[in-house]
Amino acid sequence: MCNLSEALIEKGIKQGRSEGENRLQQLLNCLLKAGRHVELEEILAGNEQLKQQLYKEFKL
């Protein structure tokens, strides 16, 4: 039973990572298309607060 729960947890982690990566890729594409290079650089530098604001702005 323990192996089953570990497998389910691992599957959930992988799915969450994949969804997060896809969401981030969408945000980066939106910023690139909009020519918002300064914000793009800030996101890539790790500005988490800005990233969350932009997710809301772009409805991602």
Side-chain angles (χ1 to χ4, degrees), residues 20-57:
E21 289 172 358
N22 288 338
R23 186 178 183 209
L24 178 58
Q25 185 64 45
Q26 288 176 344
L27 177 60
L28 297 177
N29 286 335
C30 288
L31 291 172
L32 193 58
K33 287 179 185 177
R36 294 169 69 170
H37 301 283
V38 172
E39 290 164 311
L40 180 60
E41 289 177 11
E42 284 289 319
I43 296 299
L44 294 175
N47 187 332
E48 191 64 33
Q49 185 177 8
L50 176 60
K51 182 169 47 171
Q52 295 306 318
Q53 287 175 309
L54 292 169
Y55 280 142
K56 289 178 185 176
E57 180 182 331

